[in-house]
Amino acid sequence: MARHTRNTGGGGSARRTFLTGAGVGAAAAALGLPATGRAAAEPGAPATVAVLGGGVAGLTAAHELAERGFAVTVYERRALGGKARSMDVPDSARGGRRPLPAEHGFRFIPGIYHNLPDTMRRIPFPGNAHGVWDNLVAPPEMSFARTGREDLRAPLPWPGHRGAQLTLDEIRRALTALLETASNIPPHEVAYFVGRLVVFLTSCAERRDDTWESLPWWDFTGADRMSDDYRRILAVGVTRNIVATKAEEASTRTVASLLEAFVFNALGRGADGPLDRILDAPTNEAWIDPWTDHLTSLGVEFRIGWTVREVRYGSGRVTGVVVEDPGGARRTVTAEHYISAMPVEHARRTWGPALRAADPQLARCDALRTDWMTGIQFYLTESAPLLRGHLNLVDSPWSLTAIQQAEHWPGRDFAADYGDGSAVNCLSVDISEWDKEGVLYGRTAKQCTRDQVAREVWAQLKAALNDTGRTVLKDSALHSWYLDPGVSGLGTPHPVNDDELLIHPVGTLHNRPTARTLVPNFYLSGDYVSVDIDLATMEGANASARQAVNALLDRVGSSAPRCTVTPLFEAPELAPLRRHDRLRYRLGLRNVFDLG
């Protein structure tokens, strides 16, 4: 059975030997560290680090520190893996099977990521030459599912990548959707959109950070004056599919930077792998559990159910952290260094006035915004005839995206392995819009009860998928559903989401903090920290943790090798045009291709 937490017991302070055993010694040798794992030349016990949060950022920081010989303890309030984890549906297992697998939202690890895949390659997995990275599989296609129209189906080609098998009817429908979309987006609108992308591609960094950071994507693409299909596919669809944010307020810099990276990924430039990759099993089985097992072998200790309440500051340093243990008792834990690896909405509540005064960038984090994006899973007694890949339901009021999972889990029999044996597949759906009225009750998702949310999402799925003569989703095939338990109070005046998503309205870039703070033993990691990928992603969380570890190594004067932090790919062919644009920007001129 998949594990979701590892509780190492109470608050004991027993120390452990670091970087021992053959596997750890090999890791140390690969990093050029001495076999003792000492992070610094001076004798004595390894330096201690408290990592506050056990999501992707916290586990990455623990991984990099443990490989360099630090004594690491991770404090996590709920479950290791954070929003990336999978979880068990309570009371769903029968006949010796595992519980039905659920998740906060489906995992998506595109080829534009480099730092996270590097970590995944360093997590051992039985039978895999490249660790858990070998558990990534590439869906061969994706779709923009239209309500009342044929769905636009797009292959995701990659060298050596076989496309999905198609029936004659599926080919006919795909061609119909392509021609319908092409005929409904006028050629001059297509040309305009392409022209806007050219403007961004040739813009210098200064123009991106200033002009385009302050302009919403909706305005940059001229969506107000364009056709409905242009707005749905190119303005709204792109932002929902790539950056999970709202086109009307999202920073052009954020949206276009990611779109640029995906374009190069599709062309095979600067990519770690295919455009779209997902795990070949529930996340904990394929990734999180092997990761925590590996970290335990490196000497990392985990405190699960320990909630961070306050980071205490005094005499120019962090002096300790007030935590609430699983029994509800408050205590202060200490270490030589502290890495805050919690989501920003939780982390900033732990920074008191004295700590904020010590580094003004902490106070600026109050301006960062989060919003709701939450997953719901529908378990089916028969697989739906859907494409093998992600669906973007661009006409759905609640901005739904989805993927049917079992066919991407080779070597696993869903019915034999999970639940009561009658569910054969899981349709995992992300709800991105919680403040617009739905089609069944005339209420927003926040105003609906949990049952009503499930019925509303199912209705919106059917409206988009059962609309052109086929019954894709059958009510009779719906076994059960499971909505992320992080959401509570739905249908009341005060709904709560414990797992909100950082969003990127204009100006966000300038409020993102650096991993290194002005407090000499305090560092930040998380998807809100300033890194090259300007988006709330697992890649951003991973990269920020690497930067935090590097800042710590610099502060202590360690001779250990620094973590590699790989930026997004930039095409060298465009460098001359960007240098030219830098000159125009400094002269107060528009980009040479910006014709308005």
Side-chain angles (χ1 to χ4, degrees):
M1 183 178 295
R3 300 177 311 286
H4 303 303
T5 63
R6 178 182 289 101
N7 195 329
T8 58
S13 58
R15 299 295 295 274
R16 61 270 184 223
T17 302
F18 281 78
L19 293 178
T20 58
V24 182
L31 285 163
L33 296 174
T36 61
R38 295 274 169 79
E42 54 270 22
T48 58
V49 184
V51 175
L52 313 178
V56 172
L59 294 179
T60 301
H63 193 157
E64 299 293 346
L65 288 165
E67 285 186 340
R68 290 160 174 81
F70 287 83
V72 183
T73 303
V74 177
Y75 297 89
E76 166 56 42
R77 67 187 176 95
R78 183 177 55 191
L80 296 175
K83 287 182 283 192
R85 78 194 190 285
S86 55
M87 61 194 87
D88 296 339
V89 176
D91 304 318
S92 63
R94 300 286 187 278
R97 299 177 185 85
R98 302 168 185 172
L100 289 169
E103 56 199 357
H104 169 70
F106 53 74
R107 304 272 62 78
F108 170 48
I109 304 173
I112 67 171
Y113 290 3
H114 288 277
N115 300 291
L116 185 69
D118 171 71
T119 297
M120 298 178 85
R121 288 184 178 93
R122 291 154 46 207
I123 302 169
F125 193 90
N128 286 1
H130 305 104
V132 301
W133 183 84
D134 284 339
N135 293 337
L136 294 174
V137 295
E141 53 187 343
M142 60 85 64
S143 173
F144 287 96
R146 307 303 309 273
T147 300
R149 307 247 305 267
E150 287 290 356
D151 300 339
L152 182 61
R153 183 170 178 169
L156 297 175
W158 191 256
H161 189 205
R162 292 185 59 189
Q165 293 183 345
L166 298 174
T167 65
L168 184 61
D169 182 60
E170 287 171 329
I171 294 172
R172 178 186 62 78
R173 290 175 179 273
L175 290 174
T176 300
L178 179 63
L179 292 173
E180 281 183 353
T181 301
S183 64
N184 281 283
I185 300 181
H188 75 275
E189 292 186 357
V190 174
Y192 181 80
F193 184 80
V194 171
R196 301 307 286 163
L197 291 185
V198 168
V199 169
F200 188 84
L201 287 170
T202 58
S203 289
C204 63
E206 293 86 348
R207 192 183 301 278
R208 293 183 180 204
D209 293 351
D210 180 11
T211 308
W212 303 140
E213 172 62 21
S214 62
L215 185 70
W217 174 250
W218 184 267
D219 296 339
F220 180 78
T221 57
D224 268 339
R225 59 181 186 272
M226 300 298 180
S227 64
D228 182 66
D229 272 41
Y230 178 100
R231 290 193 293 269
R232 289 287 185 181
I233 299 292
L234 300 179
V236 175
V238 165
T239 54
R240 285 299 184 189
N241 223 40
I242 294 179
V243 297
T245 191
K246 299 175 182 178
E248 295 85 350
E249 60 183 28
S251 152
T252 290
R253 181 191 185 278
T254 296
V255 177
S257 293
L258 269 293
L259 185 57
E260 174 186 32
F262 276 104
V263 167
F264 288 132
N265 190 174
L267 296 173
R269 302 290 305 280
D272 181 79
L275 277 165
D276 187 0
R277 295 179 297 187
I278 58 177
L279 290 162
D280 65 357
T283 309
N284 275 42
E285 294 180 38
W287 176 23
I288 301 299
D289 285 346
W291 199 3
T292 57
D293 288 342
H294 180 57
L295 295 184
T296 299
S297 77
L298 294 178
V300 175
E301 288 190 358
F302 296 102
R303 296 285 184 261
I304 309 302
W306 294 59
T307 302
V308 177
R309 295 301 184 188
E310 180 188 358
V311 179
R312 286 187 168 167
Y313 175 83
S315 301
R317 301 174 64 82
V318 169
T319 59
V321 175
V322 178
V323 297
E324 190 174 290
D325 70 18
R330 291 207 172 192
R331 62 181 73 196
T332 299
V333 298
T334 60
E336 294 168 78
H337 303 275
Y338 304 83
I339 295 180
S340 178
M342 297 180 290
V344 66
E345 67 273 22
H346 297 294
R348 61 193 175 197
R349 290 199 291 262
T350 70
W351 305 334
L355 181 61
R356 287 165 173 260
D359 191 341
Q361 68 172 343
L362 299 178
R364 289 200 298 272
C365 289
D366 291 341
L368 297 175
R369 290 173 49 192
T370 59
D371 204 347
W372 289 38
M373 183 176 183
T374 305
I376 183 172
Q377 286 78 53
F378 295 95
Y379 303 97
L380 308 176
T381 57
E382 59 181 90
S383 292
L386 294 168
L387 87 168
R388 294 190 62 193
H390 288 96
L391 304 163
N392 185 335
L393 283 70
V394 295
D395 297 320
S396 60
W398 290 0
S399 297
L400 306 178
T401 50
I403 189 168
Q404 190 169 229
Q405 294 183 317
E407 54 262 43
H408 303 289
W409 295 352
R412 286 170 173 79
D413 185 323
F414 195 95
D417 291 343
Y418 304 104
D420 60 7
S422 60
V424 303
N425 216 324
C426 172
L427 182 61
S428 186
V429 184
D430 279 352
I431 308 168
S432 296
E433 176 56 74
W434 286 76
D435 295 306
K436 287 187 178 179
E437 294 179 352
V439 299
L440 280 185
Y441 303 104
R443 300 175 189 165
T444 70
K446 292 176 183 176
Q447 293 170 336
C448 291
T449 65
R450 296 178 74 87
D451 284 346
Q452 289 171 338
V453 167
R455 294 191 191 101
E456 178 71 51
V457 172
W458 185 252
Q460 291 186 29
L461 288 167
K462 291 196 298 181
L465 300 173
N466 292 359
D467 57 338
T468 54
R470 288 190 302 173
T471 302
V472 176
L473 296 182
K474 301 177 183 177
D475 291 337
S476 60
L478 180 56
H479 173 277
S480 55
W481 55 268
Y482 188 73
L483 178 63
D484 186 350
V487 172
S488 61
L490 291 176
T492 74
H494 303 290
V496 174
N497 187 346
D498 279 340
D499 298 296
E500 295 194 13
L501 180 75
L502 181 73
I503 59 173
H504 304 270
V506 295
T508 298
L509 174 70
H510 306 300
N511 292 317
R512 293 169 72 105
T514 61
R516 182 187 181 107
T517 76
L518 296 179
V519 181
N521 64 338
F522 186 60
Y523 312 87
L524 305 177
S525 68
D527 60 13
Y528 67 98
V529 175
S530 180
V531 293
D532 191 62
I533 186 166
D534 177 29
L535 190 67
T537 59
M538 295 184 294
E539 173 79 347
N542 184 280
S544 70
R546 292 166 179 246
Q547 289 186 350
V549 170
N550 285 345
L552 190 157
L553 295 174
D554 290 344
R555 279 243 173 90
V556 301
S558 172
S559 60
R562 298 319 189 242
C563 307
T564 300
V565 184
T566 304
L568 288 172
F569 174 76
E570 291 188 1
E573 298 90 338
L574 297 177
L577 290 169
R578 289 179 175 174
R579 286 196 296 270
H580 179 253
D581 187 58
R582 180 173 294 110
L583 175 62
R584 293 181 62 87
Y585 174 80
R586 290 172 178 173
L587 293 173
L589 301 174
R590 298 160 71 120
N591 179 281
V592 69
F593 298 104
D594 190 356
L595 305 178

